[in-house]
């Protein structure tokens, strides 16, 4: 428990630095590092032995978040310059090229590299990093240096982390009915309900604080829509956690990594967020 508390304190300090530097390249550099580590964790848990796939996949996972927005490197690199760079090759062509490279590697080393390795490499180095790129997309969804982007990131994180914390505490206090005993025996229906309620409460507090301190607050329609969507996004955050649990069971591991003592790896911390971030974006594009 002491180790978990210390690690949590360090993570909160890191979060404070990231928020402080959210409109500098430091923000996306941290996200890129997390993306690369998460991809590497998944590939290693999947026991992918091909060194090229491991290195290439990790590198691609680090690159993808930088393509999230033309303004992502402001103020060091102008939006116009960075847009020309990231739009030089269409994203669809970029992703197809990556997949083709994986298949060519499989053909070259067919004795040791299987289709399952390629499939997991695509998930780890393309799909997961695209989720991490949502941090940059949400930040600049309206315009660069718009406070709404910061709120949207916290909205997605609250739906994930508050739900997880509330479910854990609620399960310890009231948990009786197993939610998914074959996947995650400790999760209970009562805990899940507590988690969603806790997420709703924190999201309501976040909206009040945002409207109190932001230059332009949320309209009543926007605030209502975010609150209505919160329980559904929180529920999907739990599904993200269960999805990660299925993967870990398939891989025969307890945690994806050990970078955060007492908490596991990057994927163990962001599994729920990777479901809530794109859903928060889906809600936001109809409201912004």
């Amino acid at each position: 428990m002491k180790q978990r508390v210390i690690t949590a304190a360090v993570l909160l300090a890191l979060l404070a630095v990231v928020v402080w530097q959210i409109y500098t390249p430091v923000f996306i550099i941290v996200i890129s590092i997390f993306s690369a580590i998460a991809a590497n964790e998944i590939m290693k848990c999947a026991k992918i032995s091909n060194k090229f796939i491991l290195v290439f996949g990790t590198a691609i996972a680090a690159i993808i978040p930088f393509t999230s927005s033309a303004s992502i490197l402001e103020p060091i690199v102008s939006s116009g310059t960075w847009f020309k760079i990231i739009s030089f090759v269409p994203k669809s062509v970029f992703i197809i090229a990556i997949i083709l490279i994986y298949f060519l590697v499989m053909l070259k080393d067919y004795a040791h590299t299987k289709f399952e390795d390629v499939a997991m490499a695509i998930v780890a180095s393309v799909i997961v990093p695209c989720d991490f790129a949502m941090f940059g997309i949400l930040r600049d969804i309206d315009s660069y240096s718009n406070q709404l982007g910061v709120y949207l990131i916290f909205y997605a994180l609250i739906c994930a982390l508050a739900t997880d914390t509330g479910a854990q505490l609620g399960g310890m206090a009231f948990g009786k009915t197993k939610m998914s005993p074959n996947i995650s025996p400790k999760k209970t229906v009562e805990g899940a309900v507590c988690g969603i309620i806790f997420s709703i409460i924190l999201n309501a507090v976040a909206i009040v604080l945002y409207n109190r301190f932001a230059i332009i607050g949320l309209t009543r329609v926007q605030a209502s829509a975010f609150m209505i969507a919160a329980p559904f996004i929180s529920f999907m955050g739990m599904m993200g956690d269960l999805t990660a649990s299925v993967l870990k069971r398939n891989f025969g591991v307890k945690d994806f990594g050990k970078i955060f003592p007492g908490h596991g790896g990057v994927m163990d911390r962001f599994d729920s967020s990777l479901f809530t971030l794109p859903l928060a974006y889906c809600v936001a594009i109809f409201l912004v």
Side-chain angles (χ1 to χ4, degrees), residues 159-209:
C159 286
L161 303 180
T163 304
D164 184 52
T165 301
Q168 185 176 13
L169 296 176
M172 292 170 61
F174 310 108
K176 292 181 179 180
T177 309
K178 298 294 183 181
M179 182 177 176
S180 185
N182 295 325
I183 299 176
S184 187
K186 293 183 179 180
K187 286 182 172 55
T188 63
V189 174
E190 294 81 5
V193 172
C194 289
I196 292 175
I197 292 173
F198 189 47
S199 171
I200 293 172
I201 293 172
L202 283 190
N203 269 306
V205 172
I207 288 176
V208 172
L209 292 176

Side-chain angles (χ1 to χ4, degrees), residues 145-160:
S145 196
N146 187 308
Q147 293 173 317
L148 179 61
V150 180
Y151 165 75
L152 292 173
I153 290 173
F154 274 96
Y155 173 72
L157 292 178
I158 288 173
C159 286

Side-chain angles (χ1 to χ4, degrees), residues 22 24 122 154 172:
I22 195 166
T24 72
I122 292 171
F154 274 96
M172 292 170 61

Side-chain angles (χ1 to χ4, degrees), residues 40-109:
N40 192 265
E41 287 174 347
I42 294 173
M43 289 188 289
K44 285 187 175 180
C45 285
K47 298 178 176 59
I48 296 176
S49 59
N50 189 296
K51 297 297 183 182
F52 177 85
I53 289 180
L54 285 171
V55 174
F56 179 72
T58 302
I60 291 298
I63 291 170
I64 287 178
F66 283 96
T67 68
S68 60
S69 168
S71 306
I72 206 66
L73 293 179
E74 290 272 13
I76 295 177
V77 181
S78 68
S79 300
T81 300
W82 192 242
F83 176 76
K84 290 179 181 178
I85 293 173
I86 63 176
S87 62
F88 181 75
V89 177
K91 290 183 180 180
S92 57
V93 175
F94 178 63
I95 292 174
I96 291 171
I98 293 169
I99 295 173
L100 289 177
I101 288 172
Y102 281 136
F103 279 117
L104 289 174
V105 172
M106 180 186 72
L107 293 175
K108 184 178 183 299
D109 189 35

